[in-house]
Amino acid sequence: MRLRLPVVLVLLTTALLAAGVAGLALGPVRIAPGRVLDIVLGALSGQRPPGAFATIVWDVRMPRVLLGAVVGAGLAVAGTVLQALVRNQLADPFLLGASSGASAGAVLVIVYGAGAGLAALTVPLAAFAGSMGALVAVYAMARRGGTMTTGRLILAGVAVQYILSALTSLVLVLAAHPDQIRTVLFWTLGGLGGARWDELALPSAALLVGTGLLLALARPLDLLLAGEEGAHTLGLDTARFRAAVFVLTSLVIGVLVAYSGAIGFVGLMVPHAARMVVGAGHRALLPVAALGGAVFLVLADLVARTAAAPEEIPVGVVTALIGGPFFLWMLRRSSRTEGIAG
């Protein structure tokens, strides 16, 4: 059932606030929601209450919840756009190798390339380069004779993921220090536990600027849904437009993955659910997907740090356990997947 956009946005915003409060209140140390609100409101007014609870809520959990919302929103937006670019609802930053490429680029720089003073700049750049390279490779392998089938897209994405996973595993084997091994595992499995206030600016800027630019391109994205010939007839240079949006999407994915590691299936499930609610028009679809992705990843991270407390499950494992069956369901119901090689 399709709902009006303002209603959906209000409902999702309310859900995000509720998920945020839950993320601040629940954990190995449980804090009453009323106490959480007092701490947050006090901190925002410049009068943060003293004590351990305030430190846990404001310094530990709040950056984590905010980073989860930013990364979830960005991955959902990126997945929505990639699905339009390749005209396939099975496309996803993780399945197409973009997240794996970003992780591989970041890990290589962390282990071999970046000094402590340069890491803040070089890691996101390396993640972007890896994300862009993976997307270009998958797109080039999947496109044959001017057409692209679901089978070739999936096989190309799987092949690129295997190669990048092997590269990351090789770095893990050769890493000399235990700290480097832990870092590589973080990039492989994804996690929000290292979130800090001073690291929120860049991913937040990437999300806001990237989503704003993509919203401005909503009409050309809608034209792509009509097919190559239809879009070209209506005046869209599809090759140039697709290349530009690939670069923009890779930049957003690279920056986000540089701070969260590879988190899969957010960009697959959320856009599909958003289309069921508001339809395929990107002017409505993008903001709904962003809010939905934020809610989903904040809740997934809450499960990751409470399901086996005091141990913490990587959030990428939680999203994969949910997204894997969802992907198989979508694959089964897609009539275009017959003849997997295309």
Side-chain angles (χ1 to χ4, degrees):
M1 183 177 67
R2 303 288 168 81
L3 300 176
R4 285 190 169 188
L5 179 61
V7 175
V8 176
L9 294 179
V10 169
L11 291 175
L12 285 174
T13 301
T14 303
L16 180 58
L17 291 174
V21 172
L24 296 175
L26 300 178
V29 177
R30 299 202 170 194
I31 305 172
R35 179 66 171 158
V36 168
L37 292 176
D38 290 340
I39 293 171
V40 172
L41 294 176
L44 291 176
S45 65
Q47 299 177 348
R48 192 179 83 179
F53 282 175
T55 300
I56 291 172
V57 169
W58 190 255
D59 294 330
V60 178
R61 293 181 182 172
M62 179 64 83
R64 182 168 185 158
V65 168
L66 292 177
L67 182 61
V70 168
V71 172
L75 292 177
V77 168
T80 302
V81 172
L82 288 176
Q83 289 169 11
L85 291 180
V86 301
R87 298 182 60 227
N88 194 311
Q89 292 188 16
L90 295 176
D92 166 76
F94 184 78
L95 294 174
L96 295 186
S99 295
S100 299
S103 294
V107 166
L108 286 171
V109 168
I110 288 172
V111 176
Y112 296 113
L118 298 176
L121 178 62
T122 54
V123 170
L125 288 176
F128 161 66
S131 173
M132 184 65 194
L135 279 177
V136 170
V138 170
Y139 183 76
M141 287 188 288
R143 189 175 178 84
R144 184 175 64 190
T147 62
M148 181 186 303
T149 66
T150 298
R152 288 202 299 270
L153 186 69
I154 294 172
L155 291 176
V158 169
V160 170
Q161 276 198 71
Y162 271 121
I163 294 171
L164 294 172
S165 296
L167 177 62
T168 306
S169 299
L170 179 62
V171 173
L172 178 62
V173 171
L174 298 179
H177 304 291
D179 289 343
Q180 291 180 339
I181 295 174
R182 285 193 292 269
T183 300
V184 172
L185 289 175
F186 162 78
W187 289 107
T188 303
L189 300 175
L192 304 172
R196 301 198 306 266
W197 279 108
D198 58 357
E199 293 184 344
L200 291 175
L202 187 56
S204 299
L207 171 65
L208 293 175
V209 174
T211 304
L213 292 174
L214 292 170
L215 274 172
L217 299 173
R219 184 176 179 275
L221 288 171
D222 290 342
L223 292 179
L224 281 181
L225 299 179
E228 296 275 345
E229 294 184 3
H232 187 73
T233 301
L234 293 172
L236 180 65
D237 186 340
T238 55
R240 183 174 298 179
F241 175 76
R242 185 175 276 112
V245 177
F246 260 130
V247 172
L248 176 59
T249 306
S250 298
L251 180 59
V252 173
I253 295 169
V255 172
L256 295 178
V257 172
Y259 291 92
S260 68
I263 299 175
F265 296 103
V266 178
L268 173 70
M269 294 182 290
V270 175
H272 182 75
R275 283 191 196 91
M276 296 174 64
V277 177
V278 296
H282 286 84
R283 192 169 299 278
L285 183 60
L286 288 174
V288 170
L291 284 172
V295 173
F296 175 76
L297 194 56
V298 169
L299 292 177
D301 184 57
L302 179 59
V303 172
R305 56 190 172 88
T306 58
E311 297 296 326
E312 183 173 317
I313 303 170
V315 69
V317 173
V318 175
T319 60
L321 289 174
I322 300 171
F326 182 86
F327 173 71
L328 292 175
W329 172 73
M330 286 194 66
L331 192 64
R332 180 179 178 83
R333 71 187 291 267
S334 175
S335 61
R336 293 176 294 174
T337 56
E338 295 185 8
I340 189 66

